Amino acid sequence: MISEKIRQLGQRAEADLQDIFRRIDETAQFNTEKVLTAFQAHRVSEACLSGTTGYGYDDLGRETLEAIYADLYGAEDALVRADFVSGTHAISCCLFGALRPGDTLLSAVGAPYDTLRGVIGITDKGPGSLKDWGVSYRQVDPVDDRPDPAGLAEAAADPAVKAVLIQRSRGYDSRASLSVAEIGELCDIVRTVNPEAAILVDNCYGEFVETKEPIEAGADLVVGSMIKNAGGGLAPRGGYIAGRRDLVRAAAARLSCPGIEKECGATLNTNRVMYQGLFWAPHTAAQALKTAVFAARLMELLGYETDPAWDTPRPDIIQRVHMGSPEAVRKFCAGIQAGAPVDSYVTPEPWDMPGYDCPVIMAAGAFIQGSSIELSADAPMREPYTVYLQGGVTYESGKLGILMAADRLLEES
């Protein structure tokens, strides 16, 4: 049950958000038209929705879907495969494809997301990292939680820098997520001092939040996960890469092998949900955004600090709520889990998840395991004890989940 106090606060929050909801709907309308136009231009038919087996030669659905992704992202080529086990896997293929022994990878906005640090070799997660392969690493740390243009210009000017990684979302860091315009400014800096360096954008959580994507702002590659925005809540697994043809080909060679690259890869029974997920993605991303701003407003009314604030423009679907204590983190995540359609009876507990350097608590009663476009909340169990909220395939269900989490804080305080 949700208390009357929390329901009334929810009504107040919702009343404050009508103008913001209208702007979110306008973006969703623009992006839906863009996706629909691409489907029509590439003559999507029933034949595209069937899968292949074995080697997957001449898979019309796979090839058409990749052409659609390339168009949507303003790219020369795209690789869209269920074979990617995560967004980190897709980014890893891009990095290994773009870099060679002796090269340097530069991260433009501080350390990347925790799971990618093992890929790079910042943390030792076993053999096979870029460091093992002879690739060096540098990073430009944010200044006051914003990108450091001067620092980036100096670091990127090193001719050994062959790839620059820009992470759009903040991960578990305090810095702000980046808009497409801000990504474009960073791309311009790199192009000026090192025009040969490949610019890769980790686009996770940012797809369809704005009307443009990072390739249109000057990036060479964008990479993301299908169980986040781009999959629309329907894709069961996978990732995508879009951008410069030579870099997409190099990444494909890491996913499969040199000489095969994109030519093989049976889609089995995934094509239909991949297409459906992409078609729904602009609307689904809008539902997640509405859930995020509702959570921000409600939690602010309860006295919690949020980032972004409810009335701040957003470049991704991530909402941070500063809980202040491990107990509050547990209560909030327990409330989100209780509001889920799947495993609502489970109480989430922190555990040592692969790829992370501290115990992490994750609440996610999702139809797709680990799906971050479905309502979920997670937090590293370390100071300052901040919860990271994302998703909500429908605003109505997302709102209920937030109300239940807020009520759990209230009733157990």
Side-chain angles (χ1 to χ4, degrees):
M1 296 292 292
I2 300 169
S3 68
E4 186 60 29
K5 177 179 179 180
I6 290 298
R7 288 187 185 275
Q8 289 178 359
L9 282 177
Q11 292 170 0
R12 177 179 167 188
E14 208 165 33
D16 292 339
L17 295 170
Q18 293 311 300
D19 285 345
I20 294 174
F21 282 3
R22 177 181 51 78
R23 291 194 292 271
I24 291 172
D25 286 338
E26 288 172 355
T27 299
Q29 182 68 56
F30 179 93
N31 286 325
T32 296
E33 184 173 355
K34 185 165 64 172
V35 171
L36 177 60
T37 299
F39 272 51
Q40 294 168 340
H42 288 277
R43 300 172 66 87
V44 173
S45 67
E46 178 68 24
C48 294
L49 307 183
S50 301
T52 51
T53 59
Y55 294 125
Y57 289 134
D58 301 318
D59 191 313
L60 176 65
R62 183 191 68 213
E63 293 171 2
T64 302
L65 185 62
E66 290 179 341
I68 289 170
Y69 264 80
D71 275 4
L72 290 175
Y73 286 94
E76 294 177 353
D77 201 359
L79 181 69
V80 185
R81 302 295 165 102
D83 303 297
F84 288 118
V85 302
S86 65
T88 297
H89 182 197
I91 297 167
S92 176
C93 287
C94 290
L95 294 176
F96 275 100
L99 292 159
R100 297 293 177 270
D103 291 348
T104 296
L105 168 65
L106 177 66
S107 180
V109 280
Y113 190 67
D114 296 48
T115 56
L116 199 57
R117 297 175 193 182
V119 173
I120 296 169
I122 303 171
T123 55
D124 184 4
K125 295 297 181 181
S129 68
L130 286 169
K131 182 179 180 181
D132 288 346
W133 208 41
V135 173
S136 301
Y137 172 78
R138 296 176 62 188
Q139 67 186 48
V140 180
D141 291 323
V143 175
D144 296 327
D145 289 335
R146 304 300 306 177
D148 178 9
L152 177 61
E154 180 180 357
D158 181 350
V161 172
K162 300 300 183 183
V164 177
L165 176 65
I166 301 173
Q167 183 175 292
R168 181 171 181 173
S169 192
R170 69 176 81 223
Y172 286 150
D173 292 331
S174 61
R175 68 144 177 108
S177 298
L178 301 175
S179 67
V180 172
E182 290 170 320
I183 291 171
E185 292 170 1
L186 300 181
C187 291
D188 290 343
I189 292 169
V190 174
R191 289 274 180 260
T192 299
V193 300
N194 190 345
E196 300 304 314
I199 302 173
L200 289 67
V201 175
D202 174 356
N203 205 31
C204 287
Y205 302 108
E207 298 93 344
F208 302 114
V209 172
E210 301 184 60
T211 57
K212 290 187 176 181
E213 297 292 340
I215 294 289
E216 300 170 88
D220 292 305
L221 279 182
V222 292
V223 195
S225 167
M226 299 301 292
I227 61 171
K228 296 183 175 66
N229 302 27
L234 286 179
R237 61 180 298 201
Y240 73 89
I241 298 167
R244 242 172 57 191
R245 182 167 286 107
D246 61 320
L247 294 173
V248 172
R249 177 181 174 184
R254 292 296 306 189
L255 177 63
S256 57
C257 65
I260 291 182
E261 298 165 2
K262 292 180 58 181
E263 297 307 311
C264 291
T267 52
L268 304 177
N269 296 316
T270 61
N271 273 347
R272 186 178 300 273
V273 286
M274 290 288 201
Y275 276 93
Q276 280 185 295
L278 176 60
F279 185 71
W280 289 4
H283 175 75
T284 305
Q287 299 299 288
L289 278 174
K290 288 180 177 181
T291 301
V293 295
F294 176 79
R297 184 57 181 144
L298 180 65
M299 295 306 291
E300 288 175 22
L301 290 173
L302 285 171
Y304 290 89
E305 181 185 353
T306 66
D307 180 23
W310 68 276
D311 55 352
T312 301
R314 297 162 180 268
D316 65 10
I317 66 170
I318 304 295
Q319 179 62 53
R320 295 202 312 168
V321 183
H322 300 293
M323 308 306 301
S325 72
E327 293 77 16
V329 168
R330 288 172 179 268
K331 290 176 183 177
F332 186 87
C333 289
I336 292 294
Q337 188 74 36
V342 179
D343 291 332
S344 61
Y345 56 89
V346 173
T347 300
E349 293 288 344
W351 65 295
D352 295 317
M353 293 186 64
Y356 296 87
D357 61 5
C358 73
V360 175
I361 187 170
M362 287 198 170
F367 291 101
I368 304 297
Q369 187 181 91
S371 174
S372 299
I373 193 61
E374 300 183 56
L375 184 63
S376 61
D378 50 276
M381 296 305 286
R382 62 187 181 218
E383 293 183 346
Y385 297 109
T386 296
V387 166
Y388 294 76
L389 179 79
Q390 56 271 319
V393 288
T394 71
Y395 167 65
E396 294 80 8
S397 63
K399 178 177 71 172
L400 287 171
I402 302 304
L403 291 172
M404 293 185 73
D407 205 51
R408 187 67 63 96
L409 286 167
L410 189 66
E411 70 183 25
E412 297 187 12
S413 60

